[in-house]
Amino acid sequence: MSYLTPLRSDLKLSILLSLLEGKKKLADLGKETKTRETTILHVLKELEQLELTTKSGGVYQLTTLGILETQICRGSYQSFEVLKKYKEFWLTHDVDGIPPTLMMKIGDLGNSELVKSTSTALQKVHETFIEMLLSSRVIAGVSPIFHLDFMNVILGVLSQGGNVILIVNTEVLEEIKKRDQQGEYTSKYIDDGSLQIYLNNNIRVALTVTEKTWSFGLFNATSGEYDYTTDLIGHGEEGLEWGNQLFKKVLAESTKMGQLQQKLDS
């Protein structure tokens, strides 16, 4: 049997997920799934034959094999749901910047919202992103684009005692230099360690992870340009962990900057 077999039956998956929480009686499973006990009993017998569940004293539970397969099914189910929910987003964007290990955990982004700019709300993505930054004190960002508002908000966060790690490409780094010719804004934060800047000229995603929210964007699959009109934004531990793992992956491939002015002048 394929470990994905339960995904072909909503009832089987519901029963397995229920038992993953702990031992259950037949009546309990009936109430949780809102299904007749005779129907559930038939499914349980099938699951027992597959060595996914056992019964003792009228109580059902998962076998160790059942626990493993249910965990796999749960992750796969969550991933399928995220792919289906944001089908257009995945179809129209380049996903090469997402490592295979995180592709397999795309279901962790389930607690999210797709934010899109429209003809009547051109700045929706930008305004939502800025609002997210304004409520944060810890920011880890990967940015292939520059906007003066981003720089101003980040400097505001730093001035309030926040901490920021940025991964940017050469173009963005040059834009930062133009707005900070003498290093008067960034130098003191780099010196005290509250601001760290890394260089990476192979950025294929836009990502921001704060202490409570995350934002994720991709390049357009057709034009190859970054799509600043669409962002996936969310919260929750699973999404934050997914974002942090992606950030660490990009960080490991980046070069840390010393004094910004020294690096640019060298």
Side-chain angles (χ1 to χ4, degrees), residues 19 22-29 44 48 53-62:
L19 291 176
K23 301 176 182 179
K24 301 286 175 65
K25 292 182 179 180
L26 180 61
D28 296 329
L29 292 170
L44 287 168
E48 189 170 358
T53 63
T54 60
K55 175 186 176 183
S56 177
V59 177
Y60 295 87
Q61 68 181 86
L62 295 177

Side-chain angles (χ1 to χ4, degrees), residues 9-76:
S9 167
D10 290 341
L11 181 57
K12 286 180 183 177
L13 183 59
S14 295
I15 290 172
L16 289 172
L17 290 174
S18 177
L19 291 176
L20 189 61
E21 299 172 355
K23 301 176 182 179
K24 301 286 175 65
K25 292 182 179 180
L26 180 61
D28 296 329
L29 292 170
K31 290 178 182 178
E32 288 185 20
T33 61
K34 297 179 181 179
T35 306
R36 290 184 302 175
E37 292 184 14
T38 52
T39 303
I40 293 179
L41 190 59
H42 176 75
V43 173
L44 287 168
K45 287 180 178 179
E46 183 180 345
L47 294 175
E48 189 170 358
Q49 290 174 351
L50 295 170
E51 300 182 296
L52 299 181
T53 63
T54 60
K55 175 186 176 183
S56 177
V59 177
Y60 295 87
Q61 68 181 86
L62 295 177
T63 63
T64 52
L65 177 63
I67 292 172
L68 292 170
E69 294 207 5
T70 303
Q71 292 279 19
I72 292 171
C73 285
R74 181 171 66 175
S76 298

Side-chain angles (χ1 to χ4, degrees), residues 49-115:
Q49 290 174 351
L50 295 170
E51 300 182 296
L52 299 181
T53 63
T54 60
K55 175 186 176 183
S56 177
V59 177
Y60 295 87
Q61 68 181 86
L62 295 177
T63 63
T64 52
L65 177 63
I67 292 172
L68 292 170
E69 294 207 5
T70 303
Q71 292 279 19
I72 292 171
C73 285
R74 181 171 66 175
S76 298
Y77 176 77
Q78 291 172 337
S79 294
F80 293 153
E81 287 296 297
V82 169
L83 292 177
K84 182 171 64 175
K85 184 178 181 181
Y86 304 121
K87 182 179 179 180
E88 183 182 351
F89 178 72
W90 304 117
L91 276 174
T92 57
H93 291 89
D94 180 1
V95 297
D96 285 348
I98 306 175
T101 52
L102 291 179
M103 284 275 199
M104 297 298 294
K105 300 178 66 178
I106 207 76
D108 290 351
L109 304 185
N111 193 5
S112 60
E113 173 189 1
L114 191 64
V115 179

